Amino acid sequence: MDAFRLLTRSTKLKPVSSATDSRLPSTGKAANPQLFRTAESDSLESAKNGKKRKRGAAVQEDEEDVPDLDFFSSNKRPATNVTETAATTVGDDKKVSAQNAASDDEDSMDEVERRTILNSHKIKVTDMRDLEEIQAEPTSTKDSKKKKKKSKKEEAPTLSKKEQKRARRLFPEPLLNFKELRSKYKISSRLAENVAEQGFTVPTEVQLGTLPLLLGKSSEPDLLVVAPTGSGKTLSFLIPVVNKIVRHHHSHPDEHGILSLVVAPTRELASQIVNEGRKLVAGTGVKITLMRKGMRVGDDSVADVLDENSEESSGSEDEDAENKPTKERANVPVTKSDILVTTPLMLVNALSANRTTTMATLPLVRSLVMDEADVLLDPLFREQTLDIWKACSHPDLRVGLWSATMGSNIEDLTKSTIKERLEDLGQKPSEPHALLRLVVGLKDSAIPNIDHKLVYAATEQGKLMGLRQLLRPAAASASDIRLRPPFLIFTQTIPRAVALHSELKYDIPAEAGGSSRIAVLHSDLSDGQRSDIMRDFRKGEIWILVTTDLLARGVDFRGINGVVNYDIPNSAAVYVHRVGRTGRAGREGGIAVTYYTKEDIPYVKSIANIIDVSEKLRGGEEGDKSIQKWLLDALPNLSKNSKKDMKRHGVKARQTPRLADKEDDGKGARGMRISTKSGFERRLENKKKGAIAASRNRKAAAAASGNVSDTGSWNGLDD
Ligand SMILES: Nc1ncnc2c1ncn2[C@@H]1O[C@H](COP(=O)(O)OP(=O)(O)OP(=O)(O)O)[C@@H](O)[C@H]1O
């Protein structure tokens, strides 16, 4: 069914060419999910891949005879780790050999090849530690290296900032194709099969860069990753996590408990990660669970464990646990899972009996993944996230922080927390390891494969009219925006999302499915309602979803064609995440429409800048740019304090009516309000009111003079 055609009703629109159609995200996967590449790296990679394929056959044969498990038997990794080799690089990045860690076979690339590939995919890897720390690191087995390091240490103070930067830069071996996961990085064969079953053809940039770092022979680093929205970060952190657990199960068959934690800011994202994880763990013996209220997860002596499979299939365990009185809760079984995926508050509550006791520890956790790490470490979630981090008390814990945006304050916080945690523990990790940062593309920028439309709508009414044009393309001739469902509409607050949904719900014609095609999703709904709406939107039964920033981050609706910022986002980072819900995995043709009004003008510059950078990243002619230089120059800059205030509260006049009413007497807020009745209901009501008023007037007029006057009018929206 063509949703767009139905929505256009009988209006005659220019037929959309199949060429345009085929560029829509909803029409399917992109041929290549990579966002950045050059002809040079393409040919180099295919040359390497060609060579690999030939060898791959031989590797495959070998593997037939080798029992899977051998790869994971307590193999103490060689000491040629990223850290120590990074130390030898000071002042001479040509000698960077950290990258060689995974490349001691004949296939390994030389440094020029690695640089070429990494640079053309815009991948930048940096050792984040202080130079002194890099240099002071305990050495490997070789004395010569020791000597070398010592002499480098002496040289360090003389290095300029630029030289230090260069010294920190690393060029690790990239992953050329998914087969290498097995042939070169020796991941579990079942896990490799599960990856292959997903049918991906080429690794995305973030996979190409991070998987060798996390799976290579070097000591696994702590890792900060900044990579574009929709670029496949989930797979990048899940594959190593699952593989590490498979290996752990073989080396420590008696150790059971939560070995990996994945923390995400929303329930929707956490549940999506579990679904992705389930595809990867099938048949590996690894279990992955979504944290639910009432689950017991801490360092608990209760031996009674809950079988994950039965728990997942019945789906009633959490409700039961929640409803149990406290006394009985002590007997609620401990969840039996290797990977727990959770939102911060839910886990903190579970570990501290809703903040009534000190936090229990999670002593077995070896990997802590923070997805959307910048928001997890933002003031809103920071305390909870840090509590969880510190509750992971194993000295060999590795952390991964992943997002499409990451402020430098997050990097500093990460460094200090890693230090503090080890000091508090009074123990050292069994292997020294690095803290690396990997950035794909330009930090904090929007993906280049979508079209941005920044639309001045002057007033709230203007925005509503603009949106109606998108919903009913009958009037589309007035604008050049053609947004086909499915799409998302973001508002600043829950009441505005609810009101906008009511306003629009009868705008979809009955023959197109009527009001069931549009829904609203926000955090005031019950968990069940939220899951149902997510399911129906994914299934294509809901075409337009009005929501808040609850869905701005992480959620992957593969084929959505666009995003409408009905209310401007509170920050540039939120813009990057919201618009990143379209254009996933390299899909072309996604559109991001942002409306702004008079009140928004002070806040628009940061968004205009993001659009400008994204269009520059995309390349193309100067004339193709949607943000003209004069606009950028004309828009006012926002002070630091106002930015902070905006980030916290959004546009003041759009805050929830009560708060805004208090502060400005309600006048401003009224102007910014979206009616909570649908346009249809309001029209009916106004008609009725008009009819009553008209009849009253008629009676009065007739009584007075026998004339008829028509004063019945309404101030609703034009449509
Ligand atoms: N190598 C690949 N080739 C094609 N598609 C891929 C590949 N890797 C992942 N994907 C798909 O890309 C989509 C986006 O992946 P994912 O949700 O992990 O993105 P993300 O980087 O976490 O985005 P966000 O920053 O928005 O959270 C998913 O549908 C995933 O299945």
Side-chain angles (χ1 to χ4, degrees):
M1 181 177 3
D2 184 345
F4 189 71
R5 215 165 272 283
L6 279 168
L7 286 177
T8 59
R9 299 190 182 178
S10 57
T11 49
K12 281 184 193 144
L13 281 166
K14 257 205 297 188
V16 181
S17 70
S18 54
T20 320
D21 254 359
S22 68
R23 286 185 66 240
L24 286 177
S26 58
T27 48
K29 330 197 244 197
N32 190 323
Q34 295 171 341
L35 294 174
F36 311 105
R37 37 202 258 267
T38 60
E40 197 186 3
S41 72
D42 270 358
S43 59
L44 181 55
E45 282 166 52
S46 35
K48 287 269 162 195
N49 270 328
K51 191 170 147 201
K52 272 272 131 63
R53 262 193 294 278
K54 264 191 248 142
R55 287 195 74 253
V59 169
Q60 205 62 45
E61 272 170 31
D62 292 349
E63 283 164 3
E64 303 288 294
D65 304 330
V66 181
D68 206 8
L69 317 186
D70 282 8
F71 292 118
F72 309 111
S73 55
S74 67
N75 53 339
K76 186 91 180 123
R77 295 166 174 198
T80 51
N81 61 47
V82 170
T83 320
E84 85 198 17
T85 42
T88 68
T89 67
V90 180
D92 184 2
D93 63 346
K94 287 218 159 177
K95 287 179 193 160
V96 173
S97 54
Q99 311 78 337
N100 288 337
S103 58
D104 48 7
D105 65 344
E106 71 202 67
D107 271 335
S108 64
M109 289 177 222
D110 63 32
E111 168 141 348
V112 176
E113 291 171 328
R114 293 194 305 259
R115 272 175 186 260
T116 307
I117 293 176
L118 293 172
N119 287 341
S120 54
H121 286 290
K122 295 193 190 294
I123 298 172
K124 194 169 168 185
V125 185
T126 313
D127 194 322
M128 296 296 290
R129 297 164 305 161
D130 302 333
L131 272 186
E132 300 78 54
E133 201 185 330
I134 299 172
Q135 294 157 1
E137 190 166 60
T139 49
S140 67
T141 45
K142 289 179 189 160
D143 282 352
S144 59
K145 272 195 178 168
K146 250 183 213 167
K147 275 180 206 152
K148 204 173 202 173
K149 210 175 283 176
K150 214 174 176 188
S151 68
K152 292 289 174 194
K153 193 176 177 183
E154 281 150 20
E155 280 168 31
T158 64
L159 293 177
S160 69
K161 270 204 166 157
K162 209 170 168 190
E163 285 169 324
Q164 291 188 23
K165 245 186 183 177
R166 265 211 297 155
R168 285 215 178 85
R169 185 84 190 266
L170 302 172
F171 296 92
E173 183 111 9
L175 182 81
L176 293 175
N177 56 55
F178 284 112
K179 283 188 192 134
E180 281 189 345
L181 289 176
R182 176 71 180 147
S183 61
K184 191 165 188 173
Y185 298 97
K186 315 292 183 212
I187 69 165
S188 133
S189 61
R190 188 58 211 254
L191 175 58
E193 276 166 33
N194 293 343
V195 174
E197 259 169 39
Q198 307 214 17
F200 300 138
T201 46
V202 246
T204 61
E205 279 85 4
V206 69
Q207 294 159 356
L208 187 148
T210 58
L211 285 169
L213 288 173
L214 294 170
L215 295 165
K217 291 177 192 161
S218 304
S219 178
E220 181 191 340
D222 290 321
L223 196 58
L224 270 155
V225 180
V226 191
T229 51
S231 64
K233 292 187 282 297
T234 316
L235 205 63
S236 312
F237 62 69
L238 280 179
I239 293 174
V241 159
V242 175
N243 193 54
K244 192 166 160 180
I245 296 174
V246 175
R247 196 190 299 134
H248 188 90
H249 282 171
H250 291 299
S251 56
H252 300 76
D254 299 327
E255 199 173 77
H256 293 291
I258 298 164
L259 296 168
S260 292
L261 258 188
V262 181
V263 187
T266 63
R267 203 191 123 83
E268 280 71 18
L269 180 53
S271 143
Q272 178 182 295
I273 294 169
V274 171
N275 287 338
E276 290 307 302
R278 289 218 175 104
K279 293 182 212 159
L280 292 179
V281 300
T284 59
V286 176
K287 293 191 173 84
I288 182 165
T289 307
L290 179 65
M291 176 76 204
R292 292 178 183 153
K293 278 181 209 150
M295 261 185 194
R296 288 174 61 210
V297 290
D299 177 18
D300 226 304
S301 50
V302 183
D304 188 11
V305 286
L306 192 73
D307 185 273
E308 185 54 26
N309 293 328
S310 60
E311 168 204 331
E312 287 300 320
S313 55
S314 78
S316 61
E317 172 270 335
D318 51 326
E319 285 145 42
D320 291 351
E322 259 176 82
N323 296 333
K324 280 190 173 138
T326 335
K327 244 197 215 165
E328 279 180 47
R329 275 221 198 155
N331 298 323
V332 173
V334 184
T335 189
K336 180 186 169 192
S337 183
D338 303 292
I339 307 172
L340 184 71
V341 186
T342 182
T343 55
L345 186 61
M346 205 168 276
L347 183 57
V348 166
N349 281 344
L351 290 175
S352 63
N354 294 321
R355 292 283 192 195
T356 57
T357 61
T358 51
M359 290 274 290
T361 56
L362 293 162
L364 302 182
V365 172
R366 311 294 208 282
S367 313
L368 169 63
V369 174
M370 290 171 245
D371 196 12
E372 309 298 341
D374 53 332
V375 85
L376 290 176
L377 291 170
D378 210 49
L380 183 67
F381 291 114
R382 185 178 298 163
E383 197 189 331
Q384 298 157 16
T385 307
L386 292 180
D387 280 351
I388 292 172
W389 194 337
K390 290 183 179 164
C392 300
S393 55
H394 198 284
D396 281 329
L397 176 79
R398 295 293 191 277
V399 286
L401 296 95
W402 303 72
S403 184
T405 51
M406 194 93 72
S408 52
N409 60 327
I410 303 295
E411 296 176 1
D412 295 341
L413 183 62
T414 304
K415 278 165 124 181
S416 59
T417 310
I418 289 175
K419 248 186 207 149
E420 271 169 34
R421 198 190 73 95
L422 284 175
E423 278 165 16
D424 289 355
L425 272 180
Q427 286 185 62
K428 285 196 166 168
S430 58
E431 283 182 308
H433 60 279
L435 167 64
L436 302 184
R437 181 185 67 195
L438 183 143
V439 178
V440 178
L442 276 180
K443 220 162 151 262
D444 305 333
S445 62
I447 39 174
N449 52 321
I450 54 177
D451 286 333
H452 303 262
K453 312 271 182 195
L454 189 57
V455 182
Y456 181 62
T459 61
E460 287 291 313
Q461 299 235 327
K463 293 201 301 193
L464 199 48
M465 287 197 294
L467 186 56
R468 286 218 153 98
Q469 282 188 355
L470 291 181
L471 286 179
R472 293 187 183 182
S477 53
S479 82
D480 61 342
I481 306 169
R482 275 189 167 198
L483 182 51
R484 285 168 173 256
F487 59 85
L488 284 171
I489 304 175
F490 285 102
T491 64
Q492 182 175 304
T493 60
I494 296 174
R496 286 178 66 81
V498 172
L500 186 61
H501 172 248
S502 302
E503 187 68 43
L504 299 174
K505 86 179 158 198
Y506 297 112
D507 277 40
I508 310 239
E511 61 269 35
S515 60
S516 67
R517 296 294 188 198
I518 180 162
V520 60
L521 179 68
H522 53 78
S523 58
D524 278 356
L525 298 177
S526 70
D527 287 352
Q529 285 170 315
R530 281 161 71 169
S531 312
D532 289 350
I533 295 169
M534 289 288 282
R535 184 201 56 220
D536 291 349
F537 191 55
R538 286 189 202 281
K539 271 169 50 188
E541 284 169 10
I542 293 169
W543 293 350
I544 295 156
L545 190 54
V546 185
T547 187
T548 61
D549 283 328
L550 178 73
L551 292 194
R553 284 175 173 259
V555 284
D556 180 52
F557 302 116
R558 277 166 212 189
I560 69 165
N561 290 326
V563 167
V564 178
N565 290 315
Y566 187 77
D567 293 335
I568 61 161
N570 291 9
S571 69
V574 176
Y575 180 83
V576 169
H577 289 276
R578 279 188 185 179
V579 303
R581 294 317 96 208
T582 184
R584 317 275 298 162
R587 286 172 170 87
E588 291 282 340
I591 300 179
V593 185
T594 304
Y595 292 114
Y596 67 105
T597 64
K598 280 200 297 291
E599 289 76 12
D600 298 327
I601 289 174
Y603 312 109
V604 172
K605 188 159 189 166
S606 59
I607 295 167
N609 275 329
I610 294 274
I611 299 176
D612 189 49
V613 170
S614 153
E615 288 175 349
K616 277 187 187 139
L617 264 181
R618 181 177 202 141
E621 303 291 308
E622 190 64 15
D624 296 343
K625 289 170 79 183
S626 64
I627 305 290
Q628 300 304 317
K629 191 171 175 310
W630 63 263
L631 179 64
L632 275 178
D633 292 342
L635 286 169
N637 286 315
L638 201 59
S639 71
K640 247 189 172 176
N641 277 346
S642 309
K643 256 188 200 165
K644 249 190 198 166
D645 204 45
M646 171 70 177
K647 191 174 162 198
R648 245 191 235 170
H649 307 295
V651 177
K652 198 170 146 197
R654 277 187 209 120
Q655 290 164 4
T656 44
R658 213 177 294 156
L659 184 61
D661 280 351
K662 252 189 219 163
E663 288 179 19
D664 72 0
D665 233 10
K667 282 173 200 145
R670 259 198 297 277
M672 304 291 277
R673 213 172 276 164
I674 305 169
S675 163
T676 49
K677 286 185 179 132
S678 73
F680 178 75
E681 283 164 332
R682 209 138 36 90
R683 276 194 295 276
L684 275 185
E685 212 169 81
N686 281 323
K687 254 188 199 163
K688 204 168 154 191
K689 267 192 211 157
I692 295 170
S695 136
R696 202 179 294 137
N697 285 340
R698 260 197 312 275
K699 274 183 201 157
S705 63
N707 289 335
V708 175
S709 85
D710 184 11
T711 56
S713 64
W714 66 287
N715 301 319
L717 292 159
D718 296 333
D719 185 30

